[in-house]
Amino acid sequence: MDAAPPDPLLTEEVVELKMELKLLEALEIYRPNKLVGVHRSFVLIGLVESLERRLDRPFTTTEVLEVVDRFYNLEKVSASESDDDAFEEDEEFSLPPELLPELAKKKETTTQ
């Protein structure tokens, strides 16, 4: 007896479910709170690339955001406080003293 062809709706559901599972796995690395604020673009690119590698097909950022929206309301997600603090602090930067003599020597040899 011939096997019945696969139900196209069932096949679409399986593909959709696999995509959702792979996205949830990727969200372990690219946390949803990073999809708001200064890191948004980088995290979104990371999610797109992760899904493309795991499912071997191209994705758009819109597709990824639609799937993320099924699990998270990004309007209610807030960026972590530590991200905000990193840009508010105004600290003086200086090299460690032990590196200064080495840099001075390199500068002298390149100018001669």
Side-chain angles (χ1 to χ4, degrees):
M1 197 169 205
D2 290 335
D7 183 2
L9 290 177
L10 182 61
T11 305
E12 286 179 31
E13 287 176 7
V14 169
V15 168
E16 193 71 23
L17 182 61
K18 283 182 181 179
M19 181 175 61
E20 289 175 354
L21 288 172
K22 296 302 180 186
L23 177 73
L24 290 172
E25 288 175 1
L27 286 172
E28 288 182 298
I29 298 168
Y30 304 101
R31 298 181 317 235
N33 68 325
K34 300 287 187 185
L35 280 169
V36 293
V38 295
H39 299 291
R40 176 186 170 84
S41 297
F42 299 109
V43 171
L44 193 52
I45 290 168
L47 286 170
V48 168
E49 289 179 352
S50 178
L51 285 175
E52 288 177 343
R53 275 192 318 270
R54 294 169 185 228
L55 295 172
D56 198 31
R57 78 169 186 91
F59 284 91
T60 65
T61 55
T62 304
E63 285 178 295
V64 172
L65 285 173
E66 286 173 0
V67 179
V68 169
D69 196 42
R70 294 179 202 162
F71 299 100
Y72 297 95
N73 181 352
L74 291 179
E75 292 174 7
K76 303 270 184 193
V77 173
S78 64
S80 82
E81 294 174 7
S82 63
D83 291 344
D84 295 338
D85 294 343
F87 293 102
E88 291 176 10
E89 294 178 18
D90 211 13
E91 292 184 22
E92 184 75 25
F93 173 79
S94 62
L95 291 171
E98 60 271 6
L99 289 180
L100 293 175
E102 287 182 32
L103 291 175
K105 287 179 189 175
K106 285 183 182 179
K107 187 175 181 181
E108 287 175 9
T109 58
T110 57
T111 58
Q112 291 177 352

